[in-house]
Amino acid sequence: MDAASGPEPARSSKGEWVRGRRLGVDLGKARVGIAVCDPDGLLATPVATVRRDLKTAGEDIPSDIREIAETAREYEVVEIVVGLPVTLSGEEGPAAAHTRAWVQRFAEHVSPVPVTLTDERMTTAVATRKMNEGGVRGRRKRSIVDQAAAVEILQQWLDQRRR
């Protein structure tokens, strides 16, 4: 398993790309952005922003994990792609360790749907720049920047798979 990409994407027994929707996830400290793509894997679009549940401990499933898992079921996704925050030099720090721990717990809750990690460097910056260029400002920008980052994460991952 590659450190950034995680397990192999959903493939048939012959190793071919499996048609179906993928869910993109941008895990933040306060919110989680969610995006989804079309069944052919061409275009990622924003879906929702979910507030992080940092209070649920122990064996209980945090509400953010439950809500994202429910969204995955609603869209009947074949795979979930989560952005892994690495430094510009490609190193993993505390944020990546936190993401990996969250993904491990999340993956248990959405099994057998595979969860794949992908390098998310610069996705939030790109999403923010695009929103600024589109005239989105202030409170509205804060409420959708996580979704826009999830779109960037999923779209970059899809584009890499097509190459």
Side-chain angles (χ1 to χ4, degrees), residues 4-11 17 20-24 37 41 78-82 116-119 123 150-163:
S5 62
E8 280 296 308
R11 300 207 182 272
W17 173 269
R21 293 178 180 266
R22 268 86 177 161
L23 200 72
C37 70
V78 298
E79 187 169 10
I80 300 168
V81 180
V82 179
T116 302
L117 290 167
T118 189
D119 184 338
T123 55
V151 166
E152 289 296 323
I153 288 166
L154 184 55
Q155 191 65 57
Q156 287 179 13
W157 184 86
L158 291 167
D159 292 346
Q160 287 174 347
R161 295 305 169 273
R162 273 199 301 279
R163 285 189 199 120

Side-chain angles (χ1 to χ4, degrees), residues 48-62:
T49 301
V50 175
R51 185 161 305 286
R52 288 291 308 274
D53 177 359
L54 302 173
K55 296 179 180 169
T56 301
E59 297 298 315
D60 294 335
I61 304 298

Side-chain angles (χ1 to χ4, degrees), residues 10 17 20-26 32-39 41 43-48 50 64-83 102 106 110 113-118 147 149-155 157-158:
W17 173 269
R21 293 178 180 266
R22 268 86 177 161
L23 200 72
V25 177
D26 176 47
V32 183
I34 305 171
V36 70
C37 70
D38 61 285
L43 185 63
T45 56
V47 171
V50 175
D64 56 341
I65 288 178
R66 285 195 319 266
E67 192 171 338
I68 297 164
E70 180 57 35
T71 301
R73 281 189 287 279
E74 286 174 19
Y75 282 94
E76 299 177 339
V77 300
V78 298
E79 187 169 10
I80 300 168
V81 180
V82 179
W102 185 90
F106 177 70
V110 297
V113 175
V115 179
T116 302
L117 290 167
T118 189
Q147 290 177 45
V151 166
E152 289 296 323
I153 288 166
L154 184 55
Q155 191 65 57
W157 184 86
L158 291 167

Side-chain angles (χ1 to χ4, degrees), residues 138-151:
R139 198 172 273 223
R140 182 161 184 263
K141 183 165 76 173
R142 275 197 312 268
S143 70
I144 62 172
V145 70
D146 302 292
Q147 290 177 45
V151 166

